Amino acid sequence: MLKSLPSAIKDDSATEQLRELRDWLDRHQKECVTTVETWMVRSLPVPTGVIKEVWRDPSWQTALRDAVIVPLDEQGNSQRETAGFLRHGEETRGLGVVTLDGETRWLDPPAITIPHPVLLLELDDFRDFATELHIEQSISQLYRETWPKPAKLEASAKSIDSFSGGTFKQLMHATSRCRTLGYRVSGGYAVTRIWESGRLVEGRFWIGSDAPEVEAETGDLGWVESASNPLTLGEVGPVAFSEGMRMAAAVYAGRFIDEAEAS
Amino acid sequence: MTANLLQAGALLPITQKKDSAGDPVSARVYKHEALGGRVVVKLVADNLAPAEDLSLEYLGFSLAEVRGPVARGRRQAVGFPAWALINDPKNGGYALEVVKEMEKIARVARSKPGNAKDQYEGVAGRLAKTVPHFLPTFFEEAGRGFIESGNNAQAATMFAKARDAERVYNLQVDENRRRDVFLEFALAAAMSAGALEDYARELARVHPPKEAYALFRQVCVQRCQGGLPPWAAMADELRSMAAKAGLDKNAEDESVLDELLDAPALAGAAFGFWKAYEKPLIALAHRSPSARGRLLNLHPWPPREAGSFMDWWLKFMESTGAAEALWAPAGTLPKESEPVGGPALWLGKSSSALNKHNWGRGSVAGLMTVLPKMAARLRSDGQPVDLHGTHVHSTSLDLIDLALELRIPLASPGPGYLGLDTWLSGKRSRPLMMLAADEIYGPRLTQALEAYLGRHHADTLIDIPGLRDMVSKWLGACADRFDKGGVIQLEQQLQEVDKFTSPRTFALNIRARDRIAKASAVRALQRSLHGGLIDELGWPALEQARKKLAPGQQGIQMSESWPFLVVTDGAKAIVVGRDNIVLEHDLRLTGHTWGLPSFIYTGAQLLVSWHSRDGLKAYWSGRPAEVFNPQQPPQPMFYGNSVSASFELDDGGRTAGARAVHAGDTKLPAREQMWTARGSGALSISSSDSESRNTTQLPAARSATRGRDFWMSSARMDTTWISSGAGSCPSRPMGRSDLRVLPGSARERSRARAASRSKRRTASRLPARSAGTTSRWRWCACPATSSPARWDLRGRT
């Protein structure tokens, strides 16, 4: 076996093309996972036909396999009793699903949703079952960090300051952390867009808008509707709340901690 | 509902015939020669399909099958070529022609941005000849590519070119689309400074004044709500457009401000913004309690602002009436106008903002005026004020002194020196009597003063009433050292007295002067000889180890693992115990190394750690083949101004104050000085918790040092290694127990363990950390007053 590619082959244009193809396939795989996660986070209905068609692409399969799905009927109502792990999709039989009872069922509803874990009533049961079956999801659904709304939340407040005051030696450390985590940075905020109960809500976590090499300090986490209108915490839905907190916590976790601060 | 769903990015089933919103989306199946049977499926809107096919063709894919349409999706017309294909399908071919080329350029955008820009311009030149109306979206797409690769300057250039094309070819513009793109690039920080003014001008040129104003106002407001602070000239620009539109200036100002006040980005607004909007803000605030509250809680700091902003801001707070909530009795004002977390927190935030932005050189005049008014409220609230934040050294001593005089409850300062030097060089206004007399700040002031006097002349201090007494005490301590020190210290002390004092200084403490005058070199020499010279002290095991080493240019390095000493010459490491050599280890450093390695000996294993070109490396002597990055180097023997010290715990772990290291650990805790001793041997633990700062005397340490003076009598050993934890060691030849530390006896070791256990107990008695915070109790180190000892083993063969 060769230790490395001979340079004649390494620099050949065909090799270059193959390398590009490989990179593109990686991106395609990530894109599939991101798309499916968007469907989940926003609780969007997905036509069954779409799932059946994309299933032939291994990248889509990887992204979709073992996601917990809930079939929707013609009226768009959830059929919770047939919710289960998506194992297969094909044109004739429809979607192969393993339900919590351990049964494999073939379903062909008009559409399905991939619910956000906050909305999944039997979350614990699904988790137990997933462990039993050694199921590993590509999307972060069952083991997603969720932040239920605390009972004693001040409903009229418009922001949460639990993650404020985290410092980053340079703002770009914060922005690149956001990017790695998959969050868009807009203005001085890390943002996450959530679709919930008929409206588009944006969670915004302040990371600062100075020059990239200047020290930055995190600020409040808030939610806005239609791009700018701030919502009170009472108005924020459970998914938007959870996703906003998840984002802020993840960004905040990367803050600079001065270990040798004492002297 | 369906429109909303589409906007959120949903795919709708194709069967819903009655409602036909959205574009049909098909599953396009592609194949590739190199991938055999594996297919790739993309979900693509039918009207954008040709572009997708071309992009994939560039990579060598060919379309095998189109399935569908399978759903309907949102019409996406933002980018290029999508915009062209949808808005001008007849000429779509021109856009498609350049798709492959764009793919290619995007690939070099990161590595060769200049090159990519030229190529984009080349393509644009071709488009301009036939389809100039494609240029704006084309350049924007190119800009997005640059934003993606982090090159915002090039992205801004592309954005400017898109706008240029609109002007040059006098293109019809969809204002909603342009506004969205404007915000997109502005919020991505990819916009040049003049672009907004250009935009205002362009809007004014194309639209009637009212429309132009409405569009521009929206961009200004959304830009700020999106997180970008308003720029200084924004007010002027908006006002002149509003005037042209014939709108009421005051009403417009107030409505803009009302929308802006919620945006945290406002805290970074230019000073010019506040000055321009001063009057309408006052009017707004007088009417609206919530506006007052929002202003009060904003804590703004304009970029590049000199120290006087805070003074201006506080006056402004008074004229808006917002400051009222800082001193009105609790509960008497509308809740939305109150400072969040109470006036104490507000004051702390304001003071630490000043500390942070001005390094202690900003004017505190404003805060000093507000403080007396707030005093009664702060006293009745009883909530301690943290004046320092993380910047103890930058906090104005005047402010602390005044707060103490007003009996305002204060949180104890965190670690760090008080900023005596900054205060002395600034505009000082108070005699510091309160500070000097305070039981927490007094000692901290002494500490700062001692550090100051080691570098500056004492006469600069004696005119300050609060410091006079402290200088006098310092002179007394000097005299003590003359009386008790050895001959080397005598020389040092003489130099210090000569350099930093004058007869005027000694007028404060005539007794000290007399004692120093009576100091005798003979007696000092006597003390040194009685105490013993360092050369008289033997450590046979260490000398035996020294004989086995063959130091090269880098000499010999020592690492401590009390009661063991690890010495190395770069080839061999020897662990020296009290009576004998405990371990000899032939080093197995792989690859490149910088300097000599350092060590931790614990659980009968040696951790070897060294710096290499690829970062820090380490292995445990038990498994030398497993090299890892320990994240932190082991504490060197002499670290900064102190000697490090660690204990082995009963379970075989070793701690220097932080998490214990056990043999086999692949991650070391951060460097932390546990303690060092100074003069009186007083040690303190302090919490780094930002909310409550407590300084606690450490009983174990106090009993260990028994209040002794830990100053040592040899210049070569004048950093006391108190961590022996055994202050009660019998006197040694040097008259003190200090050198005793190195080869400790088994009894001392067990005492040290007891000390470390009691340390843990002490820690557990300290207030529990509050949930969710990251506070950590740490052992606060006070640097010893003299530089650490350096042993030269090379000279001792």
Side-chain angles (χ1 to χ4, degrees), chain A residues 18 20-21 24-25 27-28 31 39 42 44-47 49-50 53-54 56-60 91 110-111 154 158 185-189 195 198 200 204 206 209 215 217 228 230 255 258-263, chain B residues 4-5 7-13 27 29 32 34-35 38-43 56 58-59 61 65 67 70-71 107 187 225-229 262 264-265 335 356 390 415-416 670-671 673 688 774 776 778:
Chain A
L18 282 177
E20 274 188 8
L21 175 66
W24 185 89
L25 282 174
R27 281 208 306 277
H28 174 60
E31 219 175 277
W39 290 342
R42 299 189 179 175
L44 299 173
V46 185
V50 171
E53 287 303 336
V54 298
R56 340 180 196 180
D57 179 342
S59 300
W60 279 105
E91 214 182 330
E154 200 183 329
K158 285 182 180 168
V185 175
S186 170
Y189 297 101
W195 168 258
L200 194 58
R204 288 180 168 185
W206 182 253
S209 65
E215 188 178 279
E217 196 176 301
S228 59
R255 72 197 181 282
D258 194 350
E259 296 280 6
E261 199 197 354
S263 58
Chain B
N4 272 343
L5 271 174
Q7 203 213 334
L11 294 167
L12 301 180
V29 185
H32 194 287
L35 294 179
R38 187 230 203 270
V39 296
V40 161
V41 181
K42 301 262 306 180
L43 294 167
L56 284 171
Y58 172 76
L59 287 158
F61 282 100
E65 201 182 340
R67 314 271 303 175
V70 290
R107 263 155 242 272
L187 294 177
Q225 284 171 336
L228 294 176
D262 270 327
K335 201 175 170 299
K356 182 172 145 197
T390 51
R671 274 184 181 173
Q673 282 174 296
S688 65
T774 51
R776 204 150 52 92
R778 64 167 82 227

Side-chain angles (χ1 to χ4, degrees), chain B residues 114-148:
Chain B
N115 215 328
K117 178 179 161 260
D118 293 345
Q119 293 186 41
Y120 278 128
E121 280 171 0
V123 177
R126 296 208 306 276
L127 288 174
K129 283 180 197 144
T130 43
V131 281
H133 58 295
F134 289 178
L135 285 177
T137 43
F138 170 78
F139 277 124
E140 283 156 18
E141 196 64 28
R144 286 188 191 102
F146 280 122
I147 291 175
E148 198 64 33

Side-chain angles (χ1 to χ4, degrees), chain A residues 24-178:
Chain A
W24 185 89
L25 282 174
D26 282 349
R27 281 208 306 277
H28 174 60
Q29 172 70 71
K30 276 188 202 129
E31 219 175 277
C32 294
V33 172
T34 316
T35 310
V36 177
E37 277 194 346
T38 310
W39 290 342
M40 173 194 73
V41 168
R42 299 189 179 175
S43 303
L44 299 173
V46 185
T48 305
V50 171
I51 310 267
K52 287 195 269 189
E53 287 303 336
V54 298
W55 195 264
R56 340 180 196 180
D57 179 342
S59 300
W60 279 105
Q61 248 185 59
T62 309
L64 284 164
R65 183 174 293 121
D66 294 326
V68 173
I69 63 160
V70 178
L72 300 176
D73 65 12
E74 299 288 344
Q75 281 72 44
N77 299 320
S78 306
Q79 310 288 105
R80 293 207 168 267
E81 60 285 2
T82 44
F85 293 100
L86 178 63
R87 301 303 296 245
H88 204 75
E90 62 180 62
E91 214 182 330
T92 44
R93 285 193 288 180
L95 308 180
V97 165
V98 177
T99 63
L100 272 183
D101 310 326
E103 286 176 48
T104 303
R105 295 230 203 154
W106 289 95
L107 308 169
D108 204 355
I112 56 135
T113 60
I114 305 170
H116 188 277
V118 170
L119 304 174
L120 202 56
L121 297 177
E122 309 86 351
L123 181 60
D124 289 339
D125 299 339
F126 274 111
R127 279 183 179 167
D128 291 346
F129 199 40
T131 319
E132 232 171 86
L133 297 180
H134 302 291
I135 278 175
E136 273 182 44
Q137 298 182 314
S138 294
I139 56 165
S140 156
Q141 182 189 26
L142 287 182
Y143 296 101
R144 197 176 188 81
E145 312 85 314
T146 54
W147 298 75
K149 268 174 110 169
K152 50 167 196 172
L153 197 66
E154 200 183 329
S156 65
K158 285 182 180 168
S159 61
I160 285 178
D161 63 0
S162 321
F163 305 106
S164 67
T167 52
F168 286 85
K169 280 278 160 196
Q170 300 189 337
L171 177 59
M172 65 175 113
H173 298 167
T175 42
S176 72
R177 181 167 178 86
C178 294

Side-chain angles (χ1 to χ4, degrees), chain B residues 361-427:
Chain B
R361 289 187 173 76
S363 164
V364 279
L367 278 177
M368 304 267 292
T369 342
V370 174
L371 211 53
K373 298 184 193 168
M374 292 178 70
R377 169 77 193 265
L378 290 170
R379 281 196 300 267
S380 85
D381 284 1
Q383 188 186 344
V385 179
D386 178 6
L387 288 175
H388 310 280
T390 51
H391 301 80
V392 172
H393 185 261
S394 311
T395 315
S396 158
L397 298 188
D398 287 334
L399 191 67
I400 308 173
D401 198 54
L402 177 64
L404 290 170
E405 184 183 279
L406 295 166
R407 288 180 292 114
I408 291 170
L410 295 181
S412 299
Y417 283 100
L418 291 180
L420 185 62
D421 40 0
T422 327
W423 179 79
L424 284 164
S425 62
K427 253 195 273 172

Side-chain angles (χ1 to χ4, degrees), chain B residues 559-566 599-602 646 648 654:
Chain B
S559 303
E560 73 78 28
S561 280
W562 188 84
F564 305 102
L565 192 65
V566 189
F599 306 90
I600 293 177
Y601 181 69
T602 196
S646 58
E648 193 165 324
R654 180 168 283 280

Side-chain angles (χ1 to χ4, degrees), chain B residues 318-496:
Chain B
E318 292 206 38
S319 41
T320 53
E324 201 72 23
L326 296 175
W327 47 75
T332 53
L333 290 178
K335 201 175 170 299
E336 61 268 32
S337 70
E338 297 246 24
V340 172
L345 201 63
W346 180 92
L347 180 58
K349 269 191 182 177
S350 301
S351 168
S352 41
L354 201 60
N355 300 341
K356 182 172 145 197
H357 292 292
N358 283 319
W359 306 106
R361 289 187 173 76
S363 164
V364 279
L367 278 177
M368 304 267 292
T369 342
V370 174
L371 211 53
K373 298 184 193 168
M374 292 178 70
R377 169 77 193 265
L378 290 170
R379 281 196 300 267
S380 85
D381 284 1
Q383 188 186 344
V385 179
D386 178 6
L387 288 175
H388 310 280
T390 51
H391 301 80
V392 172
H393 185 261
S394 311
T395 315
S396 158
L397 298 188
D398 287 334
L399 191 67
I400 308 173
D401 198 54
L402 177 64
L404 290 170
E405 184 183 279
L406 295 166
R407 288 180 292 114
I408 291 170
L410 295 181
S412 299
Y417 283 100
L418 291 180
L420 185 62
D421 40 0
T422 327
W423 179 79
L424 284 164
S425 62
K427 253 195 273 172
R428 46 188 207 245
S429 63
R430 296 182 58 89
L432 303 192
M433 294 300 283
M434 305 305 297
L435 202 63
D438 188 73
E439 67 178 58
I440 286 171
Y441 280 101
R444 300 294 293 266
L445 188 60
T446 309
Q447 181 198 12
L449 177 125
E450 281 171 7
Y452 180 86
L453 283 176
R455 289 172 288 131
H456 303 272
H457 203 282
D459 284 359
T460 46
L461 303 177
I462 56 177
D463 293 330
I464 296 147
L467 300 182
R468 214 170 286 150
D469 203 30
M470 289 186 177
V471 174
S472 161
K473 275 193 193 137
W474 177 76
L475 290 171
C478 272
D480 283 352
R481 291 197 279 271
F482 275 99
D483 282 353
K484 292 180 187 166
V487 72
I488 294 168
Q489 277 180 326
L490 180 72
E491 193 191 344
Q492 266 192 342
Q493 286 297 314
L494 276 173
Q495 276 175 6
E496 200 166 303

